[in-house]
Amino acid sequence: MMKVLLIGGTRFLGKHVADSFNNNHHEVTLFHRGKTAKEGVTENVHEIIGDRDLDLSLLEKGSWDIIVDTCGYFPKQVRRSAEALNKEGTFYIFVSSVSVYEDQSVRNITEDSKTAELIDPNITEVGEHYGALKAACEQEVLDVFGDNALIVRPGLIVGPYDYTDRFTYWPARGVRGGEILIPEMKDPTVRFIDVRDLANWIVRMAENKENGIYQAVGGVYDFNEVVHKCLISQEHSTIVPVSESFLLKEHVGEWVELPLWISSEDYRGLDYADDSKAINKGLLFRPIEETIKDTADWSLGRNLKPDDWKAGIHPDKEKTLLKKWNEKVK
């Protein structure tokens, strides 16, 4: 049994990481601000309520074998946490992002590809600096922990409890049925990883104290096949592919209004990033049908109204666009 400190709440990835450590009989402590409930997390998880940006003294008396940092965004913030928790035998896992790379258009990105440089270390807003900030955070962890650190670079993380709706929209849209607008992508290759596969792999890496930097972008899928698998009832659903030029002309938001769609080549390389290093260390991907079904089942329980979704095109806008498109192609 290992003693594990999870920095961050249990809204999504944190929940599944905590569950996976628990299921493998490890002792888990959450250090978070108390803004997300422990709903669904095993009851024997301990809690320390505090803010890593304000006071790390709450952690001084504790001692943990494994630190998992799921919410580090600023290098100074991560540096303080790493230094405060750097005790003999402690292993630090930092969840970063595949967005750290300087050139995200190139194919076959590996862990050795050049990362973006942070121009101003005092930046306080994430926004367009997300990748460079994550890269700088990685370096802080490595500077403090060296060989006792694991850096994980996932891409889009999906599955139950994904409150961002960046993938959830499609399984939920498939349940609703009717005419479903999708982008007719020139390159339909998409990548994502089920949060449970990522969490389980992180636990296995922690148990073996596997250090270094690993990409965990996920399985390779065809977007059109993904949408078809989201259809719960073929009888009441019709998929309508719409050209990218039409969508761009109508100011449809890539990635947000139509999740998984990116027309620009500037970021296409991320869908071809090389996961072989992590796969060789046991990273496994469950059948996509399982991810879709479990995500849809969870999402149905939220009973969201159309205006409550954080991603996905609004039904009214979808109907308007479909009407315009159908008139255009007649």
Side-chain angles (χ1 to χ4, degrees), residues 169-170 173 176-184 223 227 231 238-244 246-247 250 252 257-259 261 313-315 317-326:
Y169 169 76
W170 291 115
R173 184 66 188 87
R176 184 154 50 92
E179 277 197 318
I180 302 174
L181 184 153
I182 70 167
E184 190 173 27
F223 171 76
V227 176
L231 302 182
T238 304
I239 293 176
V240 182
V242 175
S243 72
E244 291 183 315
F246 175 83
L247 294 171
E250 294 294 331
V252 177
E257 281 195 295
L258 288 178
W261 171 50
I313 196 164
H314 193 283
K317 184 172 181 178
E318 182 183 33
K319 288 179 182 178
T320 300
L321 290 170
L322 284 168
K323 182 180 179 182
K324 283 187 177 182
W325 176 254
N326 289 330

Side-chain angles (χ1 to χ4, degrees), residues 1-289:
M1 184 188 75
M2 299 186 300
K3 294 179 66 178
V4 180
L5 177 68
L6 177 60
I7 304 177
T10 56
R11 197 173 185 186
F12 183 36
L13 176 60
K15 167 192 162 41
H16 292 285
V17 170
D19 282 345
S20 189
F21 271 112
N22 259 316
N23 292 338
N24 284 273
H25 310 293
H26 302 296
E27 181 183 306
V28 180
T29 299
L30 303 175
F31 176 56
H32 65 133
R33 294 173 296 176
K35 293 190 174 182
T36 55
K38 284 202 304 178
E39 180 183 355
V41 178
T42 309
E43 291 182 359
N44 64 351
V45 169
H46 309 292
E47 281 187 295
I48 301 175
I49 304 300
D51 191 329
R52 69 189 295 176
D53 293 323
L54 301 177
D55 186 11
L56 292 169
S57 65
L58 296 169
L59 304 177
E60 289 178 354
K61 295 180 181 180
S63 178
W64 293 274
D65 302 302
I66 303 291
I67 312 297
V68 183
D69 187 346
T70 66
C71 62
Y73 295 98
F74 302 101
K76 290 183 179 179
Q77 168 199 65
V78 171
R79 180 81 183 203
R80 287 193 299 268
S81 301
E83 290 179 339
L85 294 162
N86 185 21
K87 298 179 181 180
E88 185 176 355
T90 302
F91 192 80
Y92 201 106
I93 300 175
F94 181 72
V95 180
S96 183
S97 169
V98 75
S99 296
V100 296
Y101 299 106
E102 182 178 74
D103 186 352
Q104 298 175 20
S105 67
V106 298
R107 306 294 172 98
N108 301 316
I109 290 173
T110 70
E111 289 84 356
D112 296 325
S113 299
K114 182 175 175 52
T115 56
E117 295 184 13
L118 187 64
I119 298 174
D120 181 3
N122 297 311
I123 289 172
T124 57
E125 296 292 332
V126 178
E128 62 182 298
H129 306 290
Y130 174 74
L133 283 166
K134 280 290 192 179
C137 290
E138 292 181 359
Q139 193 55 55
E140 297 293 353
V141 171
L142 293 171
D143 285 349
V144 175
F145 278 87
D147 290 339
N148 289 321
L150 169 67
I151 307 297
V152 181
R153 294 173 177 169
L156 178 63
I157 307 172
V158 308
Y161 292 86
D162 177 14
Y163 62 91
T164 71
D165 297 327
R166 292 176 300 175
F167 172 82
T168 307
Y169 169 76
W170 291 115
R173 184 66 188 87
V175 171
R176 184 154 50 92
E179 277 197 318
I180 302 174
L181 184 153
I182 70 167
E184 190 173 27
M185 297 165 63
K186 292 182 295 237
D187 179 359
T189 301
V190 293
R191 300 284 294 280
F192 47 81
I193 187 167
D194 188 299
V195 63
R196 296 163 295 183
D197 295 334
L198 178 61
N200 292 339
W201 180 74
I202 286 174
V203 171
R204 289 194 295 272
M205 294 292 279
E207 290 172 337
N208 295 323
K209 297 291 180 69
E210 297 282 2
N211 63 4
I213 301 173
Y214 291 83
Q215 295 181 154
V217 186
V220 181
Y221 308 105
D222 181 292
F223 171 76
N224 300 299
E225 292 182 4
V226 171
V227 176
H228 275 282
K229 290 179 183 296
C230 289
L231 302 182
I232 302 302
S233 173
Q234 297 280 355
E235 296 179 3
H236 305 291
S237 304
T238 304
I239 293 176
V240 182
V242 175
S243 72
E244 291 183 315
S245 59
F246 175 83
L247 294 171
L248 293 171
K249 183 179 179 182
E250 294 294 331
H251 307 290
V252 177
E254 301 174 56
W255 193 253
V256 177
E257 281 195 295
L258 288 178
L260 301 179
W261 171 50
I262 298 179
S263 66
S264 172
E265 290 295 320
D266 292 345
Y267 306 101
R268 291 299 297 162
L270 300 184
D271 285 324
Y272 292 88
D274 185 355
D275 266 4
S276 59
K277 185 178 177 183
I279 291 171
N280 289 336
K281 288 293 184 178
L283 178 61
L284 301 172
F285 310 124
R286 71 189 61 211
I288 186 176
E289 292 85 356

